[in-house]
Amino acid sequence: SPLIEAALGRQFLPWLRAEIALAYRHDMRYRGEANFRGIPGRQPVSASADSLSGLGIVYLDIAGLPGVSLGRFQPYVGLGAGAAYNRLSEVTYEFPDNPGAHKVTVTPGGNRADIALTAAVGTGIVLTERLVLDLAWRYTDLGRVATDAGRASMNHVPAGIEIDETWAPLRTHGLFMGLRYLFR
């Protein structure tokens, strides 16, 4: 899903830099299969989520180590920690192959704040004296998404049923591309 991120950082040593990053992930869609016992056939599940996170990230710039010269390339590894605020929509469970009356259950959505962690490995590619293209693989653990406890609606039970919260880990990984502007 798309990611919008802004960061502000500082180079402390030729091989050490840090940044504070604020990121927003919008409309992350989930489709999967449930595994309720006693219900035959497919059990599709769908939901969407949004996440706002703030992370402090420290980078080891390999090209800045003494005796290392890699030209335009600036490989790095990074680790970070912070917080995330995650919003989960209603979760829809479908039971299209169930021979009984139960075909759809919809649970309430929910909001959660949690600890967030990230790890990255990548390289900067120097474009100009002040502009660097960043290419990296990044893994981010955004904590949990969860439904709230409350009333789940069911197509065959007009009043619905009371349920407890449910949750799942929210983790992302993938290719990250960005531009770094150096204020010297």
Side-chain angles (χ1 to χ4, degrees):
S1 76
L3 160 71
I4 298 170
E5 182 177 77
L8 186 60
R10 179 177 168 95
Q11 189 84 38
F12 294 101
L13 298 167
W15 52 270
L16 181 66
R17 66 186 160 92
E19 68 183 26
I20 296 173
L22 186 62
Y24 181 62
R25 292 164 176 85
H26 176 67
D27 199 26
M28 294 179 283
R29 294 176 186 248
Y30 172 78
R31 289 213 44 90
E33 290 286 327
N35 58 352
F36 291 105
R37 294 181 182 165
I39 299 177
R42 299 178 311 113
Q43 299 177 27
V45 180
S46 60
S48 66
D50 299 322
S51 180
L52 177 64
S53 61
L55 294 162
I57 308 170
V58 175
Y59 295 96
L60 170 65
D61 286 320
I62 296 165
L65 294 171
V68 177
S69 177
L70 300 171
R72 295 173 48 138
F73 294 96
Q74 301 175 340
Y76 59 84
V77 295
L79 293 173
Y85 181 77
N86 304 319
R87 184 199 63 79
L88 181 65
S89 70
E90 293 179 331
V91 180
T92 302
Y93 297 85
E94 299 176 67
F95 309 99
D97 303 326
N98 186 10
H102 186 193
K103 298 292 185 192
V104 177
T105 299
V106 179
T107 66
N111 302 308
R112 296 290 182 275
D114 215 333
I115 294 172
L117 303 169
T118 193
V121 60
T123 189
I125 301 170
V126 177
L127 301 176
T128 69
E129 183 179 310
R130 293 184 181 257
L131 197 59
V132 177
L133 174 66
D134 261 331
L135 297 173
W137 174 84
R138 189 185 293 179
Y139 169 83
T140 305
D141 181 338
L142 294 164
R144 300 181 306 157
V145 288
T147 64
D148 288 335
R151 190 160 294 281
S153 63
M154 303 172 80
N155 69 294
H156 69 298
V157 179
I161 61 169
E162 286 296 317
I163 62 164
D164 203 353
E165 75 171 22
T166 60
W167 65 271
L170 179 57
R171 298 180 181 134
T172 69
H173 66 92
L175 182 62
F176 171 83
M177 183 171 63
L179 289 174
R180 214 179 330 148
Y181 184 80
L182 309 173
F183 298 94
R184 292 188 182 181

